[in-house]
Amino acid sequence: MSSSSSTAATRNPGSVVADADGLARKVAAIRAAGPAKLQVIADFDGTLTRYWYDGSRGQSSHGLLRQGNEEYDAKREELFEHYHPIEICPDIPLPEKAKLMEEWWEKTHALLIEGGLTYEAIRQSVADAKITFRDGVVKLFEFLEERDIPVLVFSAGLADIIEEVFRQKLHRSFKNIKVVSNRMVFNEEGRLVSFKGKTIHVLNKNEHALDMAAPVHDNLGDPNGYTDDYSLVKKRTNVLLLGDHIGDLGMSDGLNYENRIAVGFLNNNIEKSLKDYSEAFDIVYLNDAPMVGVVELVSELCP
């Protein structure tokens, strides 16, 4: 095989590939197996979306939500101030941290219910939000859709908000995209009454959460028609994984894959984190890079 695959992945000067030969081998194997064996697993915030927005830090799908009730917005902010330092503290053992993260998420979800969150508040929050997709995301999704390659978008955020971001910011839906995230249940008046299934938080979002997946719906509040095609995903044993934290590598944990190419977006703290990222990911894109390099990579995987 020629070395063109490693050059395309590294052509962008804003990318780092620690093991070009290893990457070339994976590209060759995935390419030989064909698109029917490939699936894409992507984190949402800071991976599909840009980290920076007009010169300042963009909002996350969780952070953009305004309940239309200042008291409850403030209470959720207080929870953030308390639990976020725990989330990023390297010294807390994982089992303990996971328990605290679940506690944070469940308290937040309870506040959303108690504060009377509505569909309308979600629509308005997304319309007002500082959130945008990376350049090249639409091109990537179109390429994958044409080849029937499924994209699983994993997020510890809120599925209903992510789906609204897709609708408002991409202005179209893709039949191959499924969102694996915390899903809301609304009543007839459009008020939030509960959440479906197990809580997905930052430390447990992996393929075991697949039963939470549902296609991106065209309208907010469509019944969540859970289809049983996730068994098909299990048959796709080659994975292209996209993330912006080393923990995102866990998204493929529940999957018995043969080959995995992991792409990491290192958005800030580059000097401090590059060594760890380049050891963990096959390709690292620096400085909030566009999705162009990934589009080139999938064109090589599925020529």
Side-chain angles (χ1 to χ4, degrees):
M1 182 194 167
S2 77
S3 62
S4 66
S5 68
S6 51
T7 52
T10 55
R11 200 178 293 141
N12 175 346
S15 68
V16 175
V17 174
D19 177 7
D21 292 344
L23 176 59
R25 277 195 299 275
K26 289 183 184 185
V27 168
I30 292 176
R31 188 172 169 151
K37 281 287 189 188
L38 180 62
Q39 61 172 308
V40 176
I41 297 175
D43 168 58
F44 184 73
D45 290 302
T47 297
L48 296 178
T49 63
R50 293 184 57 170
Y51 186 83
W52 299 104
Y53 183 99
D54 282 349
S56 61
R57 176 79 173 87
Q59 289 175 301
S60 69
S61 56
H62 230 304
L64 65 80
L65 183 60
R66 294 293 166 266
Q67 261 170 280
N69 180 324
E70 284 180 13
E71 180 197 343
Y72 281 89
D73 286 340
K75 284 181 176 175
R76 283 187 299 119
E77 187 56 37
E78 279 168 27
L79 288 178
F80 178 85
E81 302 290 342
H82 174 74
Y83 285 101
H84 183 61
I86 296 171
E87 178 191 346
I88 58 176
C89 172
D91 308 324
I92 298 168
L94 274 179
E96 188 187 331
K97 191 184 279 194
K99 225 168 30 218
L100 291 163
M101 292 303 99
E102 189 153 346
E103 184 179 283
W104 177 14
W105 258 245
E106 286 177 354
K107 283 180 182 173
T108 298
H109 289 176
L111 287 174
L112 293 174
I113 295 168
E114 202 185 308
L117 181 66
T118 61
Y119 281 157
E120 200 34 59
I122 289 178
R123 271 201 199 93
Q124 197 53 52
S125 296
V126 171
D128 297 340
K130 292 178 176 163
I131 192 167
T132 187
F133 285 95
R134 291 183 190 277
D135 292 345
V137 162
V138 172
K139 204 169 173 187
L140 175 66
F141 288 164
E142 284 173 349
F143 182 94
L144 297 168
E145 185 181 48
E146 280 162 18
R147 287 154 186 81
D148 290 321
I149 296 167
V151 179
L152 295 175
V153 177
F154 278 76
S155 174
L158 299 161
D160 308 75
I161 293 180
I162 290 167
E163 288 169 357
E164 187 61 19
V165 174
F166 271 105
R167 276 189 291 273
Q168 289 192 29
K169 308 295 178 186
L170 294 185
H171 311 295
R172 60 152 298 185
S173 58
F174 294 89
K175 63 180 187 299
N176 58 325
I177 297 178
K178 294 187 167 55
V179 176
V180 183
S181 190
N182 296 293
R183 207 161 274 285
M184 300 174 174
V185 180
F186 290 88
N187 65 14
E188 297 73 47
E189 288 90 62
R191 285 171 79 90
L192 173 65
V193 287
S194 64
F195 282 82
K196 273 195 176 167
K198 190 173 183 298
T199 302
I200 300 176
H201 55 74
V202 278
L203 294 178
N204 74 351
K205 56 168 198 180
N206 58 31
E207 286 258 359
H208 301 300
L210 262 186
D211 51 354
M212 297 283 286
V216 173
H217 301 303
D218 284 335
N219 293 302
L220 202 54
D222 282 358
N224 292 310
Y226 291 152
T227 51
D228 55 6
D229 57 354
Y230 310 118
S231 56
L232 300 179
V233 171
K234 301 279 185 195
K235 294 189 178 79
R236 290 177 176 263
T237 48
N238 290 327
V239 174
L240 172 62
L241 182 145
L242 311 176
D244 68 318
H245 290 290
I246 290 172
D248 289 336
L249 293 166
M251 295 187 297
S252 58
D253 279 357
L255 196 66
N256 199 4
Y257 59 81
E258 285 170 41
N259 302 288
R260 181 185 75 177
I261 294 177
V263 174
F265 286 89
L266 179 49
N267 297 312
N268 66 345
N269 289 341
I270 288 167
E271 284 73 33
K272 209 169 78 178
S273 306
L274 183 57
K275 185 178 182 293
D276 288 344
Y277 270 66
S278 58
E279 285 168 6
F281 291 99
D282 297 292
I283 308 172
V284 181
Y285 288 104
L286 309 176
N287 298 316
D288 208 14
M291 200 53 85
V292 185
V294 179
V295 174
E296 283 183 2
L297 177 61
V298 294
S299 326
E300 283 184 30
L301 298 175
C302 307

